[in-house]
Amino acid sequence: ETHGISFRIQISVKEVLDTDVLLKLLFHLPVSYPSTVPDISVTSDQLTRAQCMDVREKLLEEAKRHLSEPMVHDLILWVQQHLKDVIKQSAAVCNEKTTLSKGTEDGIWMLLLHLDHMRAKAKYVKTVEKWASALRLTGRLMFMGKIILILLQGDRNSIKEYLILQKTSKVDVDSSGKKCKEKMMRVLCETELQSQHKRFQMFEVKEYSALEELQKEFETAGLTTLFSEFVPPLLK
């Protein structure tokens, strides 16, 4: 009723690059769907991460053409018919991105989380700082109005370990003051750091008085696309 629904669909697309491609599509339908386009995640063992991102972008473009009408079935039909074309168009770009990603600092990963609230803010913040320090993660814990974001960079195993801690530890308190686990966290993005992204040198807790300040933080780190894709929807 408040967060919509999420579901995963696996489809096999034939005759692409002379082999079957298994696509895993994760759809999150917000409460306002179909007046709002769904959030879509695309993964496949046969495609590069860059190709998956291109497929996702094309699906989101197609979704905008179906606003105000149920669209998931149409999107699946569309990707089955057009996957080959999307891969052809992005082939040169994908090769370039793959080369660049190999040049990053030994597979540094980035994670962007959204938290719904912090009741015991001081304790929660100290816990996040402690975990980031112990796992040698850099980044930001960002507050802007009611928006709470955690942006982390570091070794992929450390990123995954942080996620486990965040989901399984009693980091906050409920409405009655009892310690509780984080149940309202969303992973907005988890990806390998690219050459255009800048490394944070430390982990900092920062508060922003306006959206423009928060946007500038992302832009300074070369994360303009990450900001525009994930942050503005949180204001709706």
Side-chain angles (χ1 to χ4, degrees):
E1 293 180 4
T2 57
H3 298 287
I5 60 170
S6 297
F7 55 90
R8 187 185 302 275
I9 293 177
Q10 291 193 162
I11 59 171
S12 181
V13 184
K14 295 186 180 296
E15 297 179 357
V16 178
L17 305 177
D18 299 320
T19 185
D20 288 359
V21 173
L22 184 66
L23 282 182
K24 299 173 185 177
L25 306 173
L26 179 65
F27 291 91
H28 172 70
L29 308 187
V31 178
S32 53
Y33 173 85
S35 298
T36 306
V37 297
D39 187 22
I40 306 170
S41 172
V42 179
T43 55
S44 173
D45 292 337
Q46 288 102 329
L47 301 180
T48 65
R49 188 177 300 105
Q51 287 172 322
C52 288
M53 289 296 290
D54 285 335
V55 173
R56 176 182 182 273
E57 287 175 13
K58 295 295 183 184
L59 277 173
L60 289 173
E61 288 175 14
E62 186 65 19
K64 291 174 184 176
R65 299 189 180 99
H66 293 274
L67 276 178
S68 301
E69 61 185 63
M71 64 184 78
V72 173
H73 183 251
D74 289 323
L75 293 177
I76 291 169
L77 290 178
W78 186 90
V79 77
Q80 287 178 318
Q81 294 167 3
H82 295 90
L83 180 62
K84 192 172 185 177
D85 296 330
V86 174
I87 291 174
K88 278 184 178 179
Q89 289 173 10
S90 65
V93 178
C94 285
N95 289 336
E96 182 182 340
K97 285 183 178 178
T98 302
T99 303
L100 290 173
S101 66
K102 286 178 181 175
T104 58
E105 296 181 43
D106 197 29
I108 299 299
W109 279 67
M110 178 170 60
L111 178 71
L112 181 63
L113 303 175
H114 172 245
L115 303 182
D116 186 74
H117 62 271
M118 286 183 181
R119 284 197 175 93
K121 183 177 177 180
K123 177 180 177 294
Y124 204 136
V125 169
K126 282 186 178 179
T127 302
V128 172
E129 287 180 309
K130 183 180 73 174
W131 289 342
S133 175
L135 294 169
R136 297 183 179 179
L137 298 172
T138 61
R140 299 285 186 269
L141 170 52
M142 301 177 279
F143 296 91
M144 201 289 293
K146 293 184 177 180
I147 293 178
I148 306 170
L149 297 171
I150 300 176
L151 180 60
L152 298 171
Q153 295 176 347
D155 178 77
R156 191 178 189 185
N157 289 332
S158 296
I159 292 278
K160 291 190 176 300
E161 196 170 335
Y162 179 92
L163 270 176
I164 293 170
L165 287 169
Q166 183 79 60
K167 291 176 181 177
T168 59
S169 305
K170 292 184 177 181
V171 290
D172 207 1
V173 296
D174 60 20
S175 55
S176 62
K178 294 181 180 178
K179 291 181 180 180
C180 66
K181 296 177 183 178
E182 178 57 73
K183 297 179 181 178
M184 304 288 278
M185 179 194 78
R186 281 200 300 145
V187 177
L188 299 181
C189 181
E190 184 180 356
T191 184
E192 191 171 7
L193 211 65
Q194 302 297 319
S195 60
Q196 69 270 28
H197 302 150
K198 295 181 181 177
R199 283 292 310 273
F200 289 109
Q201 297 304 309
M202 62 185 73
F203 184 82
E204 294 182 88
V205 180
K206 302 185 76 170
E207 302 215 12
Y208 308 85
S209 57
L211 186 64
E212 291 75 18
E213 288 183 21
L214 183 60
Q215 184 173 357
K216 189 174 181 180
E217 181 79 74
F218 277 79
E219 289 175 350
T220 301
L223 302 172
T224 304
T225 303
L226 189 73
F227 175 88
S228 59
E229 188 171 345
F230 295 106
V231 180
L234 300 175
L235 298 170
K236 296 177 182 177

